[in-house]
């Protein structure tokens, strides 16, 4: 959901960013106790219809069959919704994995080079 908002706002003229950001907050309201996917999709459709004349990419949101997935947070209690609103912790974990494996790979390559050089020296003698 965070990435969808960012992608939408990245392609918006600065004069409309504040208004569209406010509309997006309304569409993805995390605090509505009785909210459901159908209502959220209705809000998204309304949002898209408001802005589709100025921004075609917003109008195209309605045609995406994956939109229902953006509202999967509604399956949870509002107190938990804020925790799953972002995937930053997942992205951070993936970054750490990549960094760790990259370092291990570098060490293995260094050991391999040393071993290779040693064997070449032994073969020369």
């Amino acid at each position: 959901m965070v990435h969808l908002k960012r992608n939408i706002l990245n392609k918006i003229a600065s004069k409309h960013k504040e208004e569209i950001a406010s509309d997006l907050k309304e569409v993805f309201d995390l605090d509505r106790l009785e909210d459901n996917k159908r209502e959220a999709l209705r809000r998204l459709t309304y949002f898209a219809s408001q802005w589709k004349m100025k921004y075609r990419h917003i109008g195209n949101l309605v045609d995406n069959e994956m939109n229902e997935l953006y509202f999967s947070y509604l399956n949870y209690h509002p107190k938990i919704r804020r925790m799953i609103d972002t995937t930053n912790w997942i992205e951070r974990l993936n970054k750490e994995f990549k960094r760790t494996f990259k370092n291990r790979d570098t060490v293995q390559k260094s050991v391999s080079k040393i071993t290779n050089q040693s064997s070449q020296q032994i073969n020369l003698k």
Side-chain angles (χ1 to χ4, degrees):
M1 170 174 50
V2 172
H3 295 103
L4 175 66
K5 289 180 190 179
R6 281 186 199 151
N7 287 337
I8 290 171
L9 292 173
N10 281 340
K11 300 172 186 171
I12 301 297
S14 57
K15 64 182 177 181
H16 294 129
K17 276 194 183 192
E18 193 173 313
E19 189 177 356
I20 289 178
S22 175
D23 289 350
L24 281 171
K25 279 185 183 179
E26 194 65 32
V27 170
F28 295 101
D29 189 357
L30 299 171
D31 298 321
R32 292 181 186 199
L33 292 174
E34 301 300 321
D35 208 1
N36 59 47
K37 286 184 182 180
R38 188 172 32 171
E39 268 302 301
L41 288 169
R42 185 195 59 73
R43 288 193 308 270
L44 181 66
T45 302
Y46 179 73
F47 166 76
S49 68
Q50 279 184 304
W51 291 101
K52 70 181 175 182
M53 295 305 257
K54 292 186 181 182
Y55 300 102
R56 187 175 8 162
H57 72 284
I58 293 177
N60 293 339
L61 285 173
V62 179
D63 300 331
N64 190 347
E65 295 174 3
M66 302 295 281
N67 284 338
E68 195 170 313
L69 297 176
Y70 290 121
F71 299 104
S72 58
Y73 67 91
L74 293 172
N75 296 332
Y76 302 94
H77 190 274
K79 288 183 180 179
I80 296 175
R81 291 177 189 172
R82 292 240 173 247
M83 287 187 263
I84 59 176
D85 172 41
T86 182
T87 58
N88 285 344
W89 65 274
I90 295 171
E91 291 170 2
R92 177 70 181 158
L93 182 64
N94 285 334
K95 185 176 180 179
E96 286 298 316
F97 283 151
K98 286 179 185 176
R99 187 179 63 81
T100 302
F101 290 126
K102 181 179 177 184
N103 288 342
R104 286 184 183 171
D105 190 42
T106 303
V107 169
Q108 287 176 350
K109 285 180 182 176
S110 298
V111 169
S112 180
K113 285 181 184 177
I114 291 171
T115 305
N116 190 21
Q117 287 176 350
S118 297
S119 67
Q120 287 177 357
Q121 287 298 325
I122 291 172
N123 288 338
L124 289 176
K125 292 181 180 184

